[in-house]
Amino acid sequence: VSERADRLVEQLADAELDALLVTDLVNVRYLTGFTGSNGLVLIDSGTRAFATDFRYVEQAAEEVDGSFERVPASLDLLEAVAELLPSAQPVRLGFDGAHMSFRDHARLKELLGDRAELVDGAGLVERLRLVKDDGEVGKIAAAAAIADEAFEEVLGEGLAGRTERELALALELAMRRRGATRPSFDIIVAGGPHGALPHARPRDVAVQPGELVVFDWGAVLDGYHSDCTRTVAVGEPGEAARDVYGIVREAQLAGLAAVRAGGDGRAVDSVARDIIAAAGHGERFGHGLGHGVGLDIHEAPRLSQRSSDVLVAGSVVTVEPGIYVQNEFGVRIEDLVVVGDDGCRVLTGIDKSLRIVD
Ligand code: ZN
Ligand code: ZN
């Protein structure tokens, strides 16, 4: 963990910052290892300080990387920033612009006065998080393996007659029993026409023979997320459902084949999107092809028409095309992959041919 702070310090000069204040807890965890709910980091070329309040002093002693000076502070942690900041001359102080509240920003300004100029840190820590080290990839792969096994357990017990909520709960329990801290997000189980909503919430409605059911789920392990979607047929599916499944699968495989370092997020999205559009379903794929996954379930880079990201080796991304046929059914297939120099390595282990379950 400690080399992450080193790399951050190297970037301060390029960003024309004297110091960086990190308040987003995911970023704080990435830099220090701290998992509590109140902590901040102040970094400059000479300082590596971590501040937390009395509730977390013991936890911080166990978790926080030894390269950081641990500073006990009041509940209002921003007061500690004023004490930690060098006072000889005013500094350009970067902050987590995407995460700091308007109120905290005003408070910080008031506390620091003319000792610091506050500058949006423009995602410096997020940029480091883009490239996962082997340990991080290992945790994401382990989370994905838990999710895979849990899914097989739930499918093995049959689907017809179980409600979406029961199935979502069964998946969650199966993941927790295998060591997951929690699901990565609210699990989606959506049968029949409900599957046409990309972010459907599980209902107290039983899935029926003849329906497609969309499952989108993941596990959190050691803070790292996994993300997977499979669409399963309950009993024999209709012709239209089979057709659409085949198109989404083809688009998903083509998207996977396009993922490699140097590829750009927009072009990879297009590879899958063009296949779906050519089959006449362009209007029915309304979201991006994929997103980065790590300490957050949605992080950089993005695979979408609005992305300007260029893929780098070591990023972990999803590839998840879908076709949503309103009032009828939806199909989405999502794998989690590690970007490599010549392609990608798929972390999801579940087969993608159309599965028919009773
Ligand atoms: Zn997902
Ligand atoms: Zn996803």
Side-chain angles (χ1 to χ4, degrees):
V1 172
S2 59
E3 92 285 358
R4 295 175 184 169
D6 295 338
R7 279 186 285 143
L8 193 57
V9 169
E10 286 167 19
Q11 292 189 12
L12 288 183
D14 286 343
E16 296 179 340
L17 296 174
D18 300 309
L20 185 68
L21 172 63
V22 181
T23 51
D24 172 60
L25 287 167
V26 176
N27 287 340
V28 169
R29 178 175 190 164
Y30 178 76
L31 292 172
T32 67
F34 178 68
T35 65
S37 70
N38 198 30
L40 62 74
V41 162
L42 186 72
I43 284 189
D44 64 32
S45 52
T47 315
R48 273 186 201 191
F50 166 84
T52 189
D53 69 71
F54 67 96
R55 295 169 300 168
Y56 291 114
V57 168
E58 281 179 43
Q59 184 177 335
E62 275 176 29
E63 292 180 342
V64 172
D65 186 80
S67 65
F68 284 85
E69 179 197 354
R70 294 191 302 273
V71 182
S74 69
L75 280 170
D76 180 4
L77 291 185
L78 294 179
E79 286 175 2
V81 178
E83 286 160 35
L84 290 166
L85 215 59
S87 52
Q89 59 195 47
V91 296
R92 279 174 63 84
L93 175 64
F95 64 96
D96 274 334
H99 305 284
M100 182 175 281
S101 72
F102 182 77
R103 193 175 296 181
D104 280 353
H105 185 271
R107 170 96 176 115
L108 197 58
K109 227 173 149 175
E110 175 195 314
L111 284 165
L112 299 178
D114 52 17
R115 291 173 54 204
E117 179 191 349
L118 295 178
V119 183
D120 188 340
L124 279 184
V125 182
E126 282 85 348
R127 217 174 300 158
L128 291 183
R129 283 168 49 194
L130 208 56
V131 177
K132 274 71 182 171
D133 62 32
D134 291 347
E136 294 181 284
V137 172
K139 286 172 184 174
I140 296 169
I146 284 174
D148 288 357
E149 286 176 30
F151 185 64
E152 294 298 348
E153 179 186 313
V154 170
L155 282 203
E157 292 157 355
L159 296 180
R162 300 169 81 185
T163 70
E164 293 172 355
R165 268 166 54 95
E166 282 167 14
L167 290 166
L169 184 60
L171 249 182
E172 175 168 346
L173 285 175
M175 290 195 292
R176 286 185 185 268
R177 246 186 269 115
R178 287 171 170 79
T181 327
R182 58 181 170 86
S184 292
F185 48 87
D186 286 341
I187 295 170
I188 295 171
V189 180
H194 200 219
L197 306 176
H199 284 161
R201 288 217 184 91
R203 305 165 298 174
D204 285 313
V205 173
V207 301
Q208 306 288 339
E211 284 183 346
L212 293 184
V213 185
V214 178
F215 291 85
D216 189 347
W217 78 105
V220 176
L221 191 67
D222 272 342
Y224 285 86
H225 297 69
S226 75
D227 192 1
C228 177
T229 304
R230 286 294 182 268
T231 303
V232 176
V234 185
E236 266 322 302
E239 192 81 13
R242 273 186 190 279
D243 275 358
V244 165
Y245 191 92
I247 296 161
V248 173
R249 186 171 175 221
E250 190 191 338
Q252 207 267 346
L253 293 173
L256 286 179
V259 172
R260 64 170 56 81
D264 76 81
R266 183 154 186 259
V268 175
D269 178 279
S270 292
V271 166
R273 193 168 300 281
D274 289 351
I275 289 170
I276 288 174
H281 295 289
E283 301 293 303
R284 292 169 166 157
F285 175 24
H287 55 76
L289 182 65
H291 53 88
V293 174
L295 285 171
D296 274 324
I297 180 62
H298 293 118
E299 56 182 56
R302 306 278 163 173
L303 309 179
S304 83
Q305 289 301 300
R306 291 163 61 188
S307 174
S308 54
D309 297 330
V310 175
L311 297 179
V312 291
S315 282
V316 173
V317 298
T318 68
V319 176
E320 49 177 310
I323 294 178
Y324 308 94
V325 185
Q326 251 184 48
N327 303 316
E328 292 186 39
F329 60 84
V331 174
R332 181 168 64 255
I333 303 172
E334 174 179 29
D335 283 336
L336 194 58
V337 309
V338 190
V339 180
D341 287 321
D342 308 308
C344 68
R345 179 161 68 90
V346 179
L347 299 177
T348 310
I350 309 168
D351 189 66
K352 283 181 290 207
S353 46
L354 180 56
R355 268 167 89 162
I356 299 174
V357 180
D358 288 332

